[in-house]
């Protein structure tokens, strides 16, 4: 598949070039999210820490991150658990950074959802933080990633509606829930829309507090992007909730 035709490909190449060198953006991530994982979304430290309970203890687990970006989140999980980390992303800039920064007990690859392949039952945990939207056929991709998951393994996914994915009525009407149902996969889910709204407000406050710092290093365009992404923070929660939703999905494969 031609990369330039993929969703947000050019934007993410520019984003990861910026993230690799911007101290101001790193400071923004720490203030807004509680940790710098070069986030471009709504995955704060509390959501990332929820992943830890699904990483097996007592042995070296294998974790796959779908759309791993520059590998910072995987490196954080590895530092907490000693896991062997695997990740793929369509951004050449992101994967190059990940390989350079985190070369030990790791495997980072260039790849596109629906095209990349891994061996069956390879991973103890598969993580998707705001990346399932990039699947051209979500049901087919759920079937594929489920085959990569080891028996007793877990799929953990942060999923949002109202921007890339249209807002539906509830958790069970989401496109991801329907994909699970297509394959007979039992899942649990948590509605964290309120958390998402509160994070959006923190993102806006963090961006505004660093406005002069962004301008001082010639990164005003990134400041403008962050402010534009957080316009919903100016609305009451009830209005936000009518248009947006955020869920955490967890599905465990039978042992």
């Amino acid at each position: 598949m031609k990369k330039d035709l993929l969703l947000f490909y050019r934007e993410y190449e520019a984003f990861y070039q910026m993230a690799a060198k911007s101290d101001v953006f790193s400071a923004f991530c720490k203030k807004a999210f509680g940790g710098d994982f070069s986030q471009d979304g709504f995955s704060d430290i509390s959501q990332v820490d929820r992943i830890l309970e699904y990483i097996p203890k007592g042995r070296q687990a294998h974790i796959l991150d779908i759309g791993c970006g520059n590998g910072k989140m995987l490196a954080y999980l590895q530092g907490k658990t000693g896991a062997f980390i695997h990740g793929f992303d369509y951004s050449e800039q992101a994967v190059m950074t990940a390989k350079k920064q985190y070369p030990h007990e790791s495997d980072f690859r260039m790849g596109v959802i629906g095209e990349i392949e891994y061996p069956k039952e390879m991973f103890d945990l598969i993580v998707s933080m705001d990346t399932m939207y990039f699947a051209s056929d979500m049901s087919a991709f759920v079937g594929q990633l489920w085959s990569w998951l080891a028996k007793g393994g877990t799929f953990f996914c942060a999923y949002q509606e109202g921007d890339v994915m249209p807002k539906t009525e509830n958790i069970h009407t989401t496109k991801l829930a329907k994909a699970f149902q297509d394959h007979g996969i039992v899942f649990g889910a948590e509605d964290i829309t309120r958390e998402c709204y509160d994070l959006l407000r923190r993102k806006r406050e963090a961006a505004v507090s660093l406005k002069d710092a962004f301008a001082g290093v010639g990164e005003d365009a990134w400041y403008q992007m962050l402010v534009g992404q957080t316009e919903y923070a100016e609305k009451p929660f009830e209005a936000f909730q009518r248009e947006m939703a955020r869920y955490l999905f967890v599905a465990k494969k039978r042992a």
Side-chain angles (χ1 to χ4, degrees):
M1 183 182 294
K2 190 175 179 181
K3 288 183 182 177
D4 285 355
L5 299 178
L6 297 172
L7 185 66
F8 303 139
Y9 173 73
R10 292 182 181 179
E11 290 86 346
Y12 273 120
E13 283 291 89
F15 172 81
Y16 283 115
Q17 287 176 11
M18 176 276 294
K21 61 184 181 181
S22 176
D23 292 335
V24 180
F25 184 72
S26 178
F28 163 78
C29 288
K30 290 172 184 175
K31 291 186 75 169
F33 302 107
D36 174 16
F37 304 127
S38 296
Q39 298 97 316
D40 181 41
F42 297 93
S43 298
D44 68 1
I45 191 70
S46 70
Q47 289 177 43
V48 175
D49 280 343
R50 282 173 165 97
I51 299 170
L52 292 170
E53 68 177 280
Y54 301 104
I55 300 174
K57 298 175 178 63
R59 61 180 176 83
Q60 186 178 52
H62 285 259
I63 305 171
L64 172 68
D65 185 8
I66 297 167
C68 63
N70 57 17
K72 285 185 177 181
M73 186 187 76
L74 277 173
Y76 174 81
L77 297 175
Q78 184 182 60
K80 293 284 187 180
T81 66
F84 193 108
I85 51 177
H86 307 253
F88 73 90
D89 202 287
Y90 69 9
S91 168
E92 182 177 2
Q93 178 66 43
V95 173
M96 285 174 55
T97 301
K99 286 183 174 181
K100 181 179 179 180
Q101 294 295 322
Y102 312 112
H104 303 295
E105 302 286 88
S106 64
D107 174 32
F108 294 102
R109 304 181 187 182
M110 291 280 298
V112 176
I113 286 176
E115 295 182 5
I116 194 167
E117 286 286 355
Y118 287 97
K120 293 183 183 301
E121 300 185 358
M122 182 174 183
F123 304 109
D124 300 291
L125 174 67
I126 298 177
V127 178
S128 168
M129 305 300 277
D130 296 295
T131 52
M132 294 302 290
Y133 329 121
F134 293 80
S136 58
D137 185 333
M138 193 176 296
S139 180
F141 184 56
V142 165
Q144 184 181 33
L145 71 83
W146 201 249
S147 74
W148 301 340
L149 196 61
K151 292 176 181 177
T154 303
F155 175 52
F156 182 101
C157 179
Y159 184 90
Q160 190 141 319
E161 290 190 329
D163 37 31
V164 178
M165 302 303 295
K167 174 78 163 60
T168 67
E169 186 176 351
N170 55 48
I171 286 169
H172 296 281
T173 57
T174 62
K175 193 171 183 180
L176 180 57
K178 291 181 177 179
F180 284 139
Q181 292 161 9
D182 288 344
H183 296 277
I185 296 170
V186 177
F187 66 90
E190 179 184 1
D191 186 330
I192 59 166
T193 304
R194 180 74 213 203
E195 286 184 33
C196 180
Y197 177 76
D198 292 342
L199 174 57
L200 193 70
R201 293 177 67 85
R202 293 201 305 275
K203 285 180 66 174
R204 192 171 186 85
E205 290 169 2
V208 171
S209 74
L210 292 167
K211 179 180 179 181
D212 292 342
F214 277 110
V217 293
E219 295 176 357
D220 185 65
W222 293 108
Y223 165 77
Q224 295 296 336
M225 178 198 76
L226 294 170
V227 170
Q229 286 180 341
T230 58
E231 288 180 352
Y232 271 110
E234 299 294 284
K235 297 184 177 184
F237 174 67
E238 292 73 20
F240 175 82
Q241 190 178 34
R242 285 194 293 270
E243 299 181 44
M244 305 286 287
R246 186 168 182 80
Y247 307 114
L248 294 180
F249 286 88
V250 176
K252 191 173 182 66
K253 195 171 185 178
R254 289 182 180 177

